[in-house]
Amino acid sequence: MASRMDEAALHVIPIGVVHSPFGERAEAPRQPVVAADVEGTVELFPGHGYEDAVCDLEAWDHIWLVVWFDRNRGFRPKVTPPRGDKKRGLFATRSPYRPNPIGLSAVRLVSVSGLTLAVRGLDLLDGTPVLDIKPYVAYTDAIPGANHGWLDEPATNNSHPRPQDPFQRFNVAFEALAAEQLSFLKQEHAVDLEERIVAQLILGPAPHAYRRIRAESGRLRLAIKDWRVWFRVDGQTITVESLSSGYRPRELFAQDGAAPTVHRLFTAKWKLG
């Protein structure tokens, strides 16, 4: 028999907000372990007595953040996970496209100052609403003998092998041309792509739509926003060879200025070089 609560609305009020370096969904790591060194803060809202609620929290070195994925719209019953090679039932994954977009993230607690919590290992977007905070209790929250579910199954699509586990990281290197291009973007146009490139490629080079990696014209390409990153793989080392604009030539030099100036300058510079 269905419960009376089946269609009842539940009232949820955020207690604070996340401040992180990730402004867009494509920038955020897919798991906290990939963001081990990423720092940010949780700002609790004043006027609710949360100053007392955080008493004794500093005794814990890790905490759970219960959050609301406010930039995810819609519910997808089946999804293709970043480390999957076929669609899986939503509840067998940790996709953010859920009936109720609730997320759970374990982070290291660095310090507590008033209503501000400094944290590390943050994989959440800037502005994410926080619903609750709980201490991470190692002896109850960690289950060393737990299995890996469908991740232990062999890949079913040999042309798109499953990305490597985050703990089996690749080394990422940059050829001189790629380093020069990155420096040009950062120093002259305040476009810093290096950290985002490394964060994506340390997980491996397997083509996957979720991570925006694909094989194109016999080469491997990573897409980061409207930039394209070309790379090769030698064993456990991924070498970034060059960058290019994601705009088409007709868009780059159209009279209506559809493409941003930095893309036109970048393309002109390396077209001539």
Side-chain angles (χ1 to χ4, degrees):
M1 179 179 292
S3 165
R4 291 183 181 178
M5 291 293 294
D6 285 350
E7 301 297 331
L10 302 180
H11 191 49
V12 177
I13 301 176
I15 65 170
V17 65
V18 170
H19 297 296
S20 89
F22 306 120
E24 300 180 15
R25 287 180 296 178
E27 299 177 356
R30 301 305 174 192
Q31 301 294 344
V33 69
V34 184
D37 298 323
V38 176
E39 297 184 347
T41 60
V42 175
E43 179 188 353
L44 301 178
F45 297 142
H48 301 280
Y50 297 149
E51 294 87 350
D52 291 332
V54 297
C55 286
D56 306 309
L57 188 61
E58 280 188 290
W60 304 91
D61 57 17
H62 285 79
I63 56 175
W64 289 108
L65 298 179
V66 183
V67 301
W68 190 266
F69 292 132
D70 60 315
R71 271 150 282 188
N72 286 85
R73 299 286 185 268
F75 158 48
R76 301 179 183 179
K78 283 201 167 183
V79 297
T80 303
R83 295 188 58 218
D85 53 358
K86 66 177 184 180
K87 287 187 177 296
R88 303 278 181 177
L90 174 71
F91 297 141
T93 76
R94 300 202 287 194
S95 166
Y97 294 98
R98 317 194 76 79
N100 297 300
I102 295 173
L104 185 65
S105 186
V107 298
R108 173 177 286 277
L109 179 62
V110 178
S111 65
V112 179
S113 178
L115 293 175
T116 301
L117 314 182
V119 297
R120 184 177 295 126
L122 193 61
D123 63 338
L124 300 170
L125 294 181
D126 188 54
T128 297
V130 178
L131 304 181
D132 199 5
I133 298 167
K134 303 177 186 292
Y136 177 95
V137 185
Y139 82 91
T140 61
D141 293 352
I143 306 175
N147 72 5
H148 297 94
W150 53 261
L151 289 172
D152 286 333
E153 299 174 7
T156 59
N157 187 342
N158 292 330
S159 65
H160 291 78
R162 182 171 299 147
Q164 295 292 315
D165 189 278
F167 288 107
Q168 300 173 358
R169 297 186 178 187
F170 282 68
N171 298 313
V172 180
F174 295 87
E175 287 194 344
L177 174 58
E180 182 184 1
Q181 292 173 327
L182 286 171
S183 177
F184 169 81
L185 290 174
K186 182 176 180 179
Q187 300 300 327
E188 299 190 31
H189 298 280
V191 177
D192 192 355
L193 298 177
E194 184 173 348
E195 286 189 9
R196 293 178 59 186
I197 292 171
V198 173
Q200 290 289 336
L201 294 182
I202 58 174
L203 296 182
H208 197 292
Y210 202 105
R211 295 175 54 222
R212 303 188 73 192
I213 293 177
R214 62 183 294 182
E216 185 174 301
S217 303
R219 303 171 68 194
L220 288 170
R221 189 205 76 186
L222 165 68
I224 295 184
K225 297 184 70 174
D226 43 13
W227 295 97
R228 303 297 178 260
V229 181
W230 302 90
F231 64 93
R232 68 174 186 272
V233 184
D234 303 296
Q236 284 294 117
T237 298
I238 294 176
T239 301
V240 177
E241 299 174 329
S242 63
L243 282 72
S244 64
S245 170
Y247 286 90
R248 295 171 181 163
R250 60 183 174 80
E251 296 172 319
L252 280 167
F253 302 106
Q255 293 299 318
D256 60 4
T261 301
V262 61
H263 283 264
R264 296 199 296 271
L265 292 174
F266 179 95
T267 302
K269 179 177 177 67
W270 273 279
K271 205 170 185 179
L272 293 173

